[in-house]
């Protein structure tokens, strides 16, 4: 087994298209042990239409859908059981009691436990991250604080194919302020017949609208194309032109290396159920840069000055949270944006998934992911030409401009048959109408041999 990197992109030897080579990559993979920390759906289970326990004796399916929903960590059952046992054994005392042998802190400290692990995934300080809500709810909360339109500066810039929930959120905030999306929402798209949006085009759009723009919201990774944006460069440039900068990291969290604090990002939101593996509809997270979360007591303890936000009692400092005197004293940092007592059950599932991330680093995960995705690309393109292939990879070829996902745009009319054939072969990946298959080998639990098998089945489906 051998490969080498050229400008961060792996280059493979002549024999790399063999299954033996794929298995040799797996044998040399230092992260291979993490696969055993997950329960992968089995071929028997995905063919069954009746609720059943996981069939661990059956061969696992090939699960390349972590960009939509990650698989279940084995730790999840343990963490949920600990939470249920806490509730059933000591009831309300679970709010303040740290139990020996429990992987979880008391309920009042549980959100901080989750934030302490999540901050490492997104490259933030612990007090810049809060575990709370869901992605769109958190986006609404942060827009309420960060979007302050004026008569000259009211526009919001976003990408041409934003996830619909982001689009709806932006439209609703514009309407809330009495503005028309037709004039106050600017969509930045790719050049004609392309899917990747060049960074320079984003910067030129910022230039074009700088005098009228208040905020830019972009996805860290574009859900449809899989493009990873240059967060650092775009953030710095937009801020130099007077824009507030927010990022939707739904597809970047647990997937790309992020340095939100160092990059000076104003705010960000994410979900945790994709590459984060915290469960369907799991609790989300948000980032607020330290400079926006500061609390100023220069005018006295009873007159704190802080960035305006929609407030709730759980954002109040724990030292006064239960005084019930209606004097809001916010937690410094992102924690001060919390609203209500969070679900301990949801936090338990989130902490279970985070316990796995605590055993490695995004640097190590990203290193494997780059190789895993490059191997997928290599096999898909090998022995073909642009003219002969009935599909096009619309994800950037540069590893620095993509995460784990490759989006395959099929020729018209092929999607349904290909998707059906992959399902029959017990390969789970995501399809998006009218013709895209999104394939996302996740470094925590997917293998190079699975990539090899997928490509064989995918090409066979195209030929059928």
């Amino acid at each position: 087994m051998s490969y080498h990197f050229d400008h961060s992109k792996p280059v493979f030897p002549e024999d790399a298209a063999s299954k033996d080579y794929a298995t040799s990559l797996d044998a040399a993979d230092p992260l291979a042990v993490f696969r055993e920390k997950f329960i992968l759906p089995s071929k028997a289970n995905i063919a069954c239409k009746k609720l059943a326990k996981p069939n661990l004796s059956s061969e696992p399916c090939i699960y390349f859908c972590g960009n939509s929903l990650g698989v279940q960590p084995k730790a999840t059952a343990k963490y949920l059981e600990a939470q249920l046992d806490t509730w059933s054994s000591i009831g309300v005392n679970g709010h303040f009691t740290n139990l020996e042998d429990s992987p979880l802190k008391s309920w009042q400290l549980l959100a901080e436990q989750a934030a302490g692990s999540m901050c490492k995934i997104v490259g933030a300080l612990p007090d810049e991250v809060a575990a709370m809500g869901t992605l769109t709810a958190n986006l609404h909360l942060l827009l309420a604080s960060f979007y302050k339109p004026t008569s000259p500066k009211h526009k919001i810039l976003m990408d041409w194919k934003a996830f619909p929930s982001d689009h709806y959120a932006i439209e609703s905030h514009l309407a809330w302020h009495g503005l028309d999306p037709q004039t106050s929402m600017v969509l930045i798209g790719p050049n004609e017949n392309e899917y990747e949006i060049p960074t320079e085009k984003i910067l030129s759009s910022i230039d074009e609208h700088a005098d009228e723009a208040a905020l830019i919201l972009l996805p860290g990774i574009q859900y449809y194309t899989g493009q990873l944006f240059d967060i650092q460069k775009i953030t710095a440039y937009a801020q130099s032109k007077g824009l507030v900068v927010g990022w939707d990291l739904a597809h970047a969290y647990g997937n790309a290396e992020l340095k939100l604090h160092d990059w000076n990002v104003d705010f960000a939101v994410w979900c945790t159920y994709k590459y984060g593996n915290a469960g369907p509809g799991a609790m989300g997270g948000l980032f607020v840069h330290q400079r926006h979360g500061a609390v100023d007591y220069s005018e006295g303890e009873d007159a704190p000055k802080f960035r305006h936000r929609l407030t709730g009692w759980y954002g109040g400092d724990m030292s006064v949270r239960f005084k019930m005197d209606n004097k809001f004293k916010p937690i410094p940092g992102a924690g001060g944006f919390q609203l209500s007592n969070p679900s301990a059950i949801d936090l338990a599932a989130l902490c279970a998934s985070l316990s796995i991330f605590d055993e490695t680093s995004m640097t190590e995960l990203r290193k494997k992911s780059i190789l895993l995705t490059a191997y997928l690309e290599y096999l898909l393109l090998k022995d073909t030409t642009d003219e002969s292939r009935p599909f096009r990879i619309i994800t950037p070829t540069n590893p620095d401009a993509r995460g784990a996902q490759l989006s395959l745009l099929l020729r018209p009319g092929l999607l349904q048959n290909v998707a059906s054939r992959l399902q029959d072969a017990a390969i789970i990946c995501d399809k998006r109408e009218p013709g895209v298959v999104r394939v996302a080998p996740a470094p925590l639990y997917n293998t190079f041999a699975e990539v090899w098998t997928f490509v064989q089945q995918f090409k066979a489906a195209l030929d059928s």
Side-chain angles (χ1 to χ4, degrees), residues 135-182:
L135 189 154
T136 305
N138 290 340
L139 178 58
H140 275 296
L141 288 171
L142 293 185
L143 285 173
S145 180
F146 283 91
Y147 179 53
K148 302 294 184 183
T150 63
S151 178
K153 291 179 74 67
H154 57 91
K155 290 183 177 180
I156 297 179
L157 279 56
M158 60 192 306
D159 73 296
W160 68 303
K161 209 171 181 60
F163 195 78
S165 198
D166 286 8
H167 197 100
Y168 303 153
I170 293 298
E171 284 190 324
S172 68
H173 276 267
L174 292 173
W176 190 5
H177 289 283
L179 299 169
D180 183 356
Q182 295 297 319

Side-chain angles (χ1 to χ4, degrees), residues 62-69 163 222-225 251 274-275 405-410 415-416 418-420 422-423 427-441 454 458:
I62 294 177
Y63 195 91
F64 284 173
C65 209
N67 56 342
S68 186
L69 177 67
F163 195 78
Q222 217 286 334
Y223 86 94
Y224 185 75
T225 66
H251 288 265
K274 300 180 188 297
Y275 299 99
Q405 171 183 316
L406 291 186
S407 294
L408 314 180
L409 177 62
L410 309 184
L415 181 61
Q416 297 306 325
V418 168
S420 178
L422 291 176
Q423 184 72 24
I427 296 173
I428 300 178
C429 49
D430 183 71
K431 67 175 183 179
R432 296 285 161 152
E433 300 287 355
V436 166
V437 176
R438 302 190 309 158
V439 188
F454 165 80
F458 176 70

Side-chain angles (χ1 to χ4, degrees), residues 382-433:
K382 185 173 174 57
D383 299 327
T384 65
T385 63
D386 290 347
E387 293 73 24
S388 66
R389 279 192 300 273
F391 67 92
R392 173 186 175 186
I393 300 176
I394 60 173
T395 307
T397 188
N398 177 5
D400 293 332
R402 68 187 185 196
Q405 171 183 316
L406 291 186
S407 294
L408 314 180
L409 177 62
L410 309 184
R411 286 180 183 168
L414 292 178
L415 181 61
Q416 297 306 325
N417 180 63
V418 168
S420 178
R421 289 290 300 269
L422 291 176
Q423 184 72 24
D424 291 344
I427 296 173
I428 300 178
C429 49
D430 183 71
K431 67 175 183 179
R432 296 285 161 152
E433 300 287 355

Side-chain angles (χ1 to χ4, degrees), residues 343-398:
S343 164
I345 301 298
D346 287 341
L347 280 169
L350 175 56
C351 287
S353 69
L354 289 169
S355 71
I356 298 175
F357 283 92
D358 284 340
E359 295 183 43
T360 183
S361 68
M362 286 309 304
T363 299
E364 292 304 308
L365 289 174
R366 180 69 171 144
K367 189 183 302 182
K368 177 181 175 180
S369 183
I370 287 173
L371 181 58
L372 199 60
T373 307
Y375 188 52
L376 171 62
E377 180 186 42
Y378 166 81
L379 293 177
L380 285 167
L381 300 182
K382 185 173 174 57
D383 299 327
T384 65
T385 63
D386 290 347
E387 293 73 24
S388 66
R389 279 192 300 273
F391 67 92
R392 173 186 175 186
I393 300 176
I394 60 173
T395 307
T397 188
N398 177 5

Side-chain angles (χ1 to χ4, degrees), residues 139 142-143 146-147 155-157 202-203 206 213-220 229-249 260 263-269 287-289 291-292 307:
L139 178 58
L142 293 185
L143 285 173
F146 283 91
Y147 179 53
K155 290 183 177 180
I156 297 179
L157 279 56
I202 296 174
L203 303 187
I206 292 170
L215 183 144
I216 182 169
L217 175 73
L218 292 173
F229 289 100
D230 190 336
I231 297 174
Q232 181 178 16
K233 186 172 185 177
I234 294 168
T235 296
Y237 194 80
Q239 289 173 340
S240 75
K241 299 296 181 178
L243 278 68
V244 172
V245 184
W247 293 91
D248 174 347
L249 303 176
L260 299 185
W263 294 341
N264 205 38
V265 167
D266 289 303
F267 72 89
V269 294
F287 165 88
V288 175
H289 198 278
R291 67 187 184 281
H292 296 304
R307 183 181 189 89

Side-chain angles (χ1 to χ4, degrees), residues 13 17-18 54 194 213 244 314 374 414:
S18 68
E194 295 297 327
V244 172
Y314 208 78
L414 292 178

